[in-house]
Amino acid sequence: MNNFSIISSLLDNDFYKFTMQNAVIKLFPFAKAKYEFINRGKHFFPKNFDKILKENLNKMAYLKLSKEERVFLEKNCPYLDSSYLDFLNKYRYNPKEVNIYQKGKNIKMNIEGLWSSTILWEVPLMAIISELYYKLTGIKPISDKKIIILTKNKIKKYKKLQVKIGEYGTRRRYSYQVHKLVLKILKKEGYPFFIGSSNVHFSHIFSIKPIGTQGHEWIMFHAAKYGFNIADRIAMENWLHIYNGNLGIALSDTFTSPIFFKNFNKKLSNIFKGVRHDSGNPISFIKETIKHYKKFKINPIKKKIIFSDNLNPYKVAYISSFCKKKIIPFFGIGSNFTNDIGYPSMNIVIKMVKALPEKKWISVIKLSNVKEKNTGKKNVIFLAKKILHI
């Protein structure tokens, strides 16, 4: 167990972490961030879990970008410029940024440091926690053979629906090996409907396109710096400034979708290729998005919605049939690919809780379209709702 390293590549992470890191270095190089582990599923952790977790974390300090990995990024992500790739060459995980302690069966964890440095921790840490949890609690998956059959059946359904799908399951995967197995099948059987993975390491291994844009923390930080009312808009404008229309999917639910649409003005609605739905009723969201585009005389059939909220074949069928001839749907499928092993997957998150844009720490929050996905201090959530008239 102790010789086993769960994360073996610097790129075993979600693509949007690297795209955000690039933007952070260029626009907010001195900003700091604090993150916290949130055990939404109230999982009980076995004895000494914190120690084994720390061992894995310490090993990550030795990871570095290989020459082949750099070449892969240069070829497949031309919008990540050489100054960023030089930074990534020198980047090393710093385990001192992560503080873990265990009290009984509960794990507490926080991360603190320069935003440009701490931003890469969240996804691999969650993948490690998930894999260790199953190993140490003795939860065995179904056989590889069954995983292969299950995955093939899902692909058949998606092919029948003729929908474009991506794999987004790094953070809550059962294990590295299960993740790898699933992607092998997706690559082999998924053409032309499987469009890529959010995991950059596996994208490299299987020669597929890494997919993703930005996460909620990008907009949460902008709220700390510029205020809740205009955070969405300035976050999108800054994104355009860095990426010139590449990676053009806007995230719509950091401070609820109605607030996002108020910020998503005509210029932004035209330039961005589409929006991402990550919480709330998908059908209401589709209607809201179409109405928004039509208001600006933009044809919605030329725009995309990326759905990424806890999907499975049944939900995908339901959503895609509603989108027909209205707007283009894409689906980012997470744990239903990488952790469909006969047990419920873990319900854990790591979220930014504070940001230091300049001189003082400011609490950050997320106001999702569903209450369960809100994060941050209650008093700050209350204040934000008041300011935003929610």
Side-chain angles (χ1 to χ4, degrees):
M1 181 69 191
N2 294 1
N3 300 325
F4 173 71
S5 196
I6 290 174
I7 305 292
S8 57
S9 161
L10 185 70
L11 296 187
D12 191 357
N13 205 328
D14 276 343
F15 183 51
Y16 74 179
K17 284 292 179 173
F18 300 105
T19 57
M20 285 192 292
Q21 187 182 46
N22 175 41
V24 171
I25 292 159
K26 294 190 169 58
L27 298 177
F28 311 110
F30 305 111
K32 289 185 172 177
K34 279 183 190 175
Y35 299 81
E36 246 170 49
F37 170 68
I38 303 161
N39 183 2
R40 276 187 190 154
K42 308 271 189 287
H43 307 284
F44 287 141
F45 291 93
K47 204 179 165 191
N48 293 330
F49 190 90
D50 58 336
K51 291 184 180 65
I52 299 166
L53 181 55
K54 274 178 197 165
E55 280 174 27
N56 263 279
L57 211 105
N58 291 335
K59 286 177 193 163
M60 287 174 68
Y62 301 102
L63 298 174
K64 54 179 191 241
L65 193 71
S66 73
K67 279 197 183 110
E68 299 77 37
E69 287 173 333
R70 178 167 179 149
V71 169
F72 173 78
L73 292 173
E74 283 169 346
K75 197 176 146 193
N76 290 280
C77 318
Y79 35 76
L80 295 176
D81 62 8
S82 57
S83 70
Y84 171 65
L85 295 178
D86 291 344
F87 169 89
L88 206 55
N89 258 340
K90 294 190 184 83
Y91 179 87
R92 299 292 179 273
Y93 279 106
N94 177 5
K96 289 195 177 88
E97 292 168 345
V98 187
N99 181 23
I100 305 162
Y101 53 99
Q102 182 164 358
K103 204 175 169 186
K105 292 182 174 178
N106 293 318
I107 290 285
K108 297 274 182 206
M109 178 164 67
N110 50 60
I111 304 158
E112 185 182 326
L114 276 174
W115 190 20
S116 60
S117 170
T118 53
I119 195 165
L120 290 192
W121 277 114
E122 175 195 349
V123 177
L125 268 181
M126 284 176 65
I128 292 172
I129 291 168
S130 187
E131 182 156 350
L132 281 180
Y133 176 80
Y134 293 118
K135 269 202 166 66
L136 298 173
T137 52
I139 295 173
K140 298 260 189 292
I142 50 178
S143 68
D144 281 6
K145 196 178 167 186
K146 279 186 180 161
I147 291 170
I148 292 167
I149 292 165
L150 254 178
T151 310
K152 282 184 176 176
N153 285 339
K154 286 172 196 168
I155 297 166
K156 270 190 197 136
K157 286 175 186 168
Y158 295 135
K159 280 184 158 177
K160 205 173 169 185
L161 292 168
Q162 299 203 320
V163 292
K164 299 276 192 208
I165 51 155
E167 179 276 311
Y168 278 28
T170 304
R171 63 186 61 225
R172 294 188 194 91
R173 65 191 182 198
Y174 172 83
S175 70
Y176 176 90
Q177 291 306 335
V178 166
H179 193 173
K180 191 176 182 179
L181 180 63
V182 166
L183 269 173
K184 194 178 166 183
I185 299 152
L186 286 173
K187 157 97 187 201
K188 197 174 156 202
E189 312 268 338
Y191 184 82
F193 297 103
F194 172 59
I195 54 162
S197 167
S198 67
N199 186 293
V200 191
H201 164 63
F202 285 128
S203 297
H204 175 223
I205 285 182
F206 292 112
S207 306
I208 49 184
K209 207 173 164 54
I211 51 174
T213 50
Q214 82 276 93
H216 295 98
E217 69 183 282
W218 178 248
I219 302 147
M220 288 157 77
F221 175 86
H222 279 76
K225 191 164 168 67
Y226 304 104
F228 295 114
N229 276 307
I230 54 170
D232 277 306
R233 181 171 62 77
I234 298 184
M236 284 186 271
E237 283 169 357
N238 277 336
W239 199 252
L240 281 181
H241 174 67
I242 298 293
Y243 291 112
N244 301 314
N246 286 307
L247 305 172
I249 299 294
L251 183 55
S252 64
D253 69 333
T254 311
F255 302 112
T256 73
S257 299
I259 301 300
F260 164 79
F261 283 118
K262 273 183 195 166
N263 279 274
F264 201 37
N265 58 29
K266 189 173 183 175
K267 176 193 155 189
L268 293 169
S269 298
N270 268 300
I271 297 173
F272 275 84
K273 295 179 182 78
V275 294
R276 176 153 80 94
H277 169 269
D278 196 47
S279 65
N281 184 317
I283 305 302
S284 311
F285 183 77
I286 298 162
K287 290 176 181 169
E288 208 178 345
T289 307
I290 290 168
K291 191 176 147 196
H292 177 82
Y293 281 130
K294 284 182 172 169
K295 180 178 85 181
F296 292 132
K297 312 247 182 310
I298 296 168
N299 185 356
I301 200 68
K302 294 198 160 80
K303 296 291 184 181
K304 299 171 184 169
I305 302 180
I306 314 282
F307 295 92
S308 59
D309 182 23
N310 195 16
L311 298 170
N312 56 42
Y314 171 76
K315 281 188 190 170
V316 170
Y318 173 63
I319 294 167
S320 64
S321 73
F322 192 83
C323 287
K324 264 205 174 65
K325 297 189 175 150
K326 299 187 188 91
I327 198 158
I328 307 163
F330 279 75
F331 299 91
I333 294 155
S335 344
N336 189 255
F337 271 147
T338 60
N339 203 343
D340 189 8
I341 49 104
Y343 289 89
S345 60
M346 294 189 85
N347 188 0
I348 54 173
V349 290
I350 292 172
K351 286 288 172 198
M352 185 192 274
V353 288
K354 282 188 174 183
L356 193 142
E358 277 145 13
K359 291 194 173 79
K360 64 173 187 161
W361 285 102
I362 294 166
S363 289
V364 298
I365 60 154
K366 178 182 152 208
L367 282 180
S368 171
N369 290 322
V370 291
K371 214 171 156 186
E372 301 76 56
K373 281 190 160 190
N374 287 353
T375 62
K377 286 186 171 169
K378 284 197 172 90
N379 61 331
V380 187
I381 288 175
F382 178 78
L383 177 70
K385 283 183 169 175
K386 211 171 160 184
I387 291 168
L388 297 168
H389 306 295
I390 293 172

